[in-house]
Amino acid sequence: MVSNTLMRIVAPCWKPSVEGDSSNRGGDASGRADGLLWYKDSGNHVNGEFSMAVIQANNLLEDCSQLESGPMSLLETGPQGTFVGIYDGHGGPEAARFVNQHLFENIKTIHGAEFTSETHGMSADVINKAFLATEEAFLSLVQQQWQDKPQIASVGSCCLVGIVCSGHLYIANAGDSRAVLGRLDNKEVKAVQLSYEHNASIESVREELQSLHPDDPHIVVLKHKVWRVKGLIQISRSIGDAYLKRAEFNREPLLAKFRLPESFNKPILKAEPTISEQKLDPEDQFLIFASDGLWEHLNNQEAVDIVNNCPRNMVIISPGCCKKTAQSRPS
């Protein structure tokens, strides 16, 4: 159960819950809701145990989380695995919900997924193709709704995905969420960060943006003491945010606060994730997948200590302006 200490941490951000369908609570009706907190206690999947929690920070919950266990492709001989998705939406819920509905299915069906077999396992190429296919499908949706619902061009989602398949762990990230591993080392469980954030506050991300846009001296702007891409958004990668991907959406009827004064001839933000792969070892105790709502309040080791020192049925929750976390103990 959720501890009293953690409940006190998140209590200040609670207010009357906004009505909505189960997809607003991570797409899983089997979880439990308490005010703005939605959580699911420890349960089994193909690769171990998991728990989840989401805390609503805005009037409309813009985020989704997902866990799937079973076949990782449509092939009968394909491998079994576990898929975790953390989708941190901004500007509205449409992008996160779209990703929640399509990304995993694209991983199973995308061209190239036929090579996901017992011999080959999962591959970074399949994951990358699935991200880009999901992006293209969402931009097509933006095009269809542009005249009646132009604000959808300013909706996007960070996407953090973890896949455990054939003894390997794949981490794919586009945005500022983070995956952290708890690994046993000399009788202590230490935090190992498995992904890095695509956030303009990080110098290496600013350098990447400047190298990709050498002719734009304003590709990153320090605004109100915060580095932002074009002075608008902190993240450099996402699914959605069509107004920063295609110039055709950088115009009316989109609200002026989202429009750039100049046109552009190539995407400002990227949808392509950074992907890592590693073999899981017996020393690997558990994984934490969380959006920036958690990492703004806890460092990697603090989060790992909480998971390691709490009972297995403990749900890890993000304090403050929190979004979502998923905690998994791989077998």
Side-chain angles (χ1 to χ4, degrees):
M1 59 184 294
V2 181
S3 73
N4 291 333
T5 300
L6 286 178
M7 294 285 271
R8 286 197 298 271
I9 291 174
V10 302
C13 76
W14 283 14
K15 55 187 175 181
S17 181
V18 176
E19 293 183 2
D21 59 25
S22 63
S23 65
N24 286 353
R25 297 291 181 183
D28 191 339
S30 64
R32 288 180 283 175
D34 187 349
L36 295 185
L37 169 66
W38 176 94
Y39 63 98
K40 186 171 183 177
D41 285 334
S42 184
N44 293 319
H45 59 76
V46 170
N47 296 99
E49 299 176 343
F50 73 92
S51 60
M52 281 188 178
V54 181
I55 295 178
Q56 185 171 331
N58 301 320
N59 288 332
L60 179 64
L61 183 60
E62 299 174 322
D63 314 315
C64 291
S65 51
Q66 180 179 17
L67 189 140
E68 306 282 351
S69 277
M72 293 290 107
S73 79
L74 296 182
L75 296 176
E76 292 183 3
T77 57
Q80 302 287 304
T82 297
F83 173 99
V84 176
I86 300 294
Y87 314 129
D88 183 1
H90 50 265
E94 292 88 350
R97 293 179 184 177
F98 188 92
V99 175
N100 193 58
Q101 294 167 359
H102 294 89
L103 181 56
F104 178 63
E105 289 304 312
N106 281 337
I107 283 177
K108 293 174 65 175
T109 61
I110 198 71
H111 177 68
E114 62 267 23
F115 299 109
T116 306
S117 65
E118 292 177 337
T119 302
H120 296 89
M122 183 55 63
S123 77
D125 183 55
V126 166
I127 298 170
N128 187 66
K129 287 178 178 177
F131 265 73
L132 297 181
T134 306
E135 162 85 345
E136 286 304 309
F138 185 73
L139 294 185
S140 295
L141 178 66
V142 173
Q143 179 69 65
Q144 295 168 15
Q145 298 187 5
W146 170 247
Q147 291 300 325
D148 297 326
K149 192 179 178 182
Q151 68 270 22
I152 196 174
S154 62
V155 175
S157 180
C158 300
C159 301
L160 173 64
V161 163
I163 299 175
V164 180
C165 187
S166 303
H168 285 75
L169 170 65
Y170 297 82
I171 300 292
N173 187 44
D176 59 3
S177 298
R178 186 189 306 170
V180 172
L181 171 70
R183 176 176 289 163
L184 187 63
D185 184 4
N186 291 326
K187 298 183 179 181
E188 295 183 1
V189 178
K190 297 184 178 179
V192 180
Q193 186 167 326
L194 301 180
S195 64
Y196 72 88
E197 290 89 312
H198 305 113
N199 190 303
S201 64
I202 301 172
E203 184 176 3
S204 61
V205 173
R206 297 197 299 273
E207 291 174 349
E208 179 186 51
L209 286 163
Q210 289 161 350
S211 68
L212 293 172
H213 305 273
D215 299 324
D216 187 351
H218 304 295
I219 187 62
V220 285
V221 176
L222 187 62
K223 189 174 182 180
H224 304 304
K225 298 182 180 181
V226 176
W227 287 102
R228 297 181 183 273
V229 182
K230 300 300 290 183
L232 294 173
I233 192 169
Q234 287 186 266
I235 56 171
S236 64
R237 302 193 189 200
S238 69
I239 288 180
D241 295 306
Y243 73 115
L244 294 173
K245 304 278 184 64
R246 295 182 181 176
E248 64 190 278
F249 301 120
N250 181 38
R251 60 181 176 84
E252 292 183 340
L254 186 65
L255 294 176
K257 66 179 181 179
F258 295 113
R259 300 199 304 267
L260 299 175
E262 72 282 350
S263 186
F264 52 90
N265 53 25
K266 67 177 181 178
I268 295 170
L269 304 187
K270 298 173 65 175
E272 185 175 7
T274 54
I275 302 174
S276 65
E277 175 191 357
Q278 67 182 68
K279 189 177 185 300
L280 286 172
D281 295 321
E283 292 77 16
D284 298 335
Q285 301 296 298
F286 53 83
L287 296 158
I288 303 172
F289 299 87
S291 61
D292 60 334
L294 180 74
W295 307 117
E296 288 174 358
H297 297 270
L298 298 175
N299 63 37
N300 295 345
Q301 191 60 50
E302 288 171 336
V304 163
D305 289 342
I306 290 173
V307 175
N308 187 54
N309 294 326
C310 289
R312 283 292 185 93
N313 64 347
M314 176 86 175
V315 174
I316 303 306
I317 53 182
S318 301
C321 183
C322 32
K323 302 294 178 69
K324 80 235 22 106
T325 75
Q327 170 224 326
S328 173
R329 290 181 181 265
S331 58

